Amino acid sequence: MTIKQTLNSVCVWIDSTALSQAIQNAPWVVPTVQTVHILAIAALMASMLMINLRLAGVVGRDQPLARVSGRFSPVIWWMLPLLLISGIFLIIGEPARALKNNIFQIKMLLVISAIFVTWFATSPLKKSPAHWDSRAGLATLVALISVSLWVAIIFAGRWIAYF
Amino acid sequence: MNIDSLLKSLEAFEFATAIREGEVLFPWLESIHVLAIVLVVGSIAIVDLRLLGWASRDRPVGTLTAEVLPITWMAFVVALITGALMFCAKAMIYGHNTYFLLKMGFLVLAGCNMLFFNRFSHKNVGTWGAPGSAVPQAAKVAGGLSLLLWVFIVVFGRWIGFTT
């Protein structure tokens, strides 16, 4: 079987499950879960931006980066599982709309990259709070990449509906 | 001039027709709108949670609002422009959509809440905003209300997409 055929049969199988049928038969579920998904990404985006603006030295320079990261990183790590769970619900409700969609596939690659960059930026701060102080140029670059990736994820999320 | 003819004249603008009939303009506007509203809600929640005393308690309220609210305002302007453009493109549909009208109503309420907060509570923020100081009851209420109103604005916004 080719990848495409496998993906097809996976979609057909998900579609036939009781949970998928239940989601499809209750029209309020998808918009409700999408709303939760958006509120979670709102919390993540604002936290991500606060960390990256400090990382690039644009905002909040009166407090150490480690403190900003300590305040906002946990929000990101808590929102990710919530986004994953709500996202999986949406996939189960409309498997073909997501899994077979090129934009969705790109979005998943972007998510993995964004998580890696966020981890790369924030995890060294726990053991060495001054980690980025001597690497200002790289810090700005990392912040820029991180913001761009998360913004691209939002755009991809909206564009899934159009492909 | 009644409302419907006003809505129709909005739809008749050249840019409105272009957005409505083009393949890609609408999704681009939607994407920017989502990005903007996500930043509005997320950033204002940082301030609201501080007012409620649930987060950022080690940061003076005045300092926090000075660094966060510019993000909120910039994102709000972007959301307003993209929203207005999308509205003009389908003015008759949105103008008669209950969830759209509810969203606008709650936006006005959120604006009033903010005006009251700025007028009465925020003035003495230097005194009560310090870490460890008690946030006045009125400011706590403003923070809680703001959080609630914005959540509803997102809810109504998402429901517009399923009812138009």
Side-chain angles (χ1 to χ4, degrees):
Chain A
M1 262 207 308
T2 65
I3 293 178
K4 212 170 180 179
Q5 285 168 323
T6 315
L7 200 56
N8 259 330
S9 44
V10 167
C11 288
V12 171
W13 169 71
I14 295 176
D15 206 271
S16 68
T17 58
L19 182 57
S20 181
Q21 289 301 317
I23 295 172
Q24 290 175 44
N25 291 325
W28 56 271
V29 174
V30 169
T32 304
V33 178
Q34 281 184 350
T35 304
V36 172
H37 203 70
I38 292 174
L39 290 171
I41 196 97
L44 186 153
M45 286 296 281
S47 306
M48 173 287 290
L49 198 60
M50 295 307 287
I51 295 171
N52 283 315
L53 286 175
R54 178 61 189 84
L55 185 60
V58 181
V59 165
R61 267 180 293 191
D62 62 312
Q63 59 177 345
L65 170 62
R67 197 152 146 199
V68 179
S69 176
R71 156 80 183 88
F72 289 106
S73 301
V75 180
I76 298 178
W77 302 124
W78 276 105
M79 287 307 122
L80 281 171
L82 183 57
L83 285 160
L84 186 72
I85 294 167
S86 52
I88 288 174
F89 248 84
L90 295 169
I91 295 170
I92 293 173
E94 295 171 288
R97 176 186 187 260
L99 298 177
K100 290 205 265 186
N101 189 309
N102 284 332
I103 302 286
F104 171 82
Q105 293 157 359
I106 293 169
K107 182 181 174 185
M108 291 306 104
L109 289 177
L110 289 169
V111 168
I112 293 166
S113 316
I115 290 172
F116 173 75
V117 174
T118 303
W119 170 82
F120 180 79
T122 57
S123 72
L125 294 166
K126 278 181 203 155
K127 279 184 184 158
S128 58
H131 178 80
W132 292 106
D133 295 4
S134 54
R135 306 171 170 91
L138 182 63
T140 306
L141 182 68
V142 170
L144 205 67
I145 294 171
S146 176
V147 172
S148 309
L149 283 170
W150 287 111
V151 167
I153 288 167
I154 303 253
F155 274 66
R158 187 64 293 218
W159 276 86
I160 290 172
Y162 290 90
F163 271 77
Chain B
M1 198 184 206
N2 68 34
I3 295 283
D4 277 2
S5 56
L6 178 72
L7 295 174
K8 276 175 188 149
S9 63
L10 285 177
E11 283 188 355
F13 276 112
E14 209 166 306
F15 73 89
T17 312
I19 295 166
R20 185 172 56 248
E21 291 174 357
E23 295 256 308
V24 292
L25 270 174
F26 202 83
W28 274 112
L29 286 171
E30 262 190 332
S31 303
I32 300 168
H33 193 70
V34 170
L35 174 64
I37 204 148
V38 149
L39 290 176
V40 169
V41 176
S43 63
I44 214 159
I46 293 173
V47 176
D48 295 338
L49 292 174
R50 173 63 179 88
L51 293 177
L52 285 165
W54 294 350
S56 305
R57 274 171 296 197
D58 60 343
R59 197 99 175 114
V61 174
T63 314
L64 193 70
T65 53
E67 63 190 15
V68 172
L69 292 184
I71 300 172
T72 315
W73 277 112
M74 275 188 275
F76 183 75
V77 170
V78 174
L80 199 69
I81 294 169
T82 50
L85 288 171
M86 290 191 290
F87 178 81
C88 291
K90 303 180 183 178
M92 275 297 278
I93 293 173
Y94 293 133
H96 290 280
N97 181 282
T98 310
Y99 296 103
F100 175 82
L101 298 172
L102 279 169
K103 184 181 177 181
M104 293 305 109
F106 273 58
L107 260 178
V108 172
L109 291 178
C112 293
N113 181 48
M114 190 193 65
L115 284 177
F116 274 114
F117 173 72
N118 277 340
R119 177 81 180 74
F120 298 108
S121 302
H122 196 256
K123 278 193 165 172
N124 314 312
V125 71
T127 355
W128 58 261
S133 303
V135 175
Q137 207 61 35
K140 277 189 187 175
V141 171
L145 266 179
S146 165
L147 205 56
L148 207 64
L149 288 167
W150 282 104
V151 167
F152 271 102
I153 289 165
V154 171
V155 170
F156 294 140
R158 191 64 293 231
W159 245 268
I160 295 169
F162 284 84
T163 50
T164 52

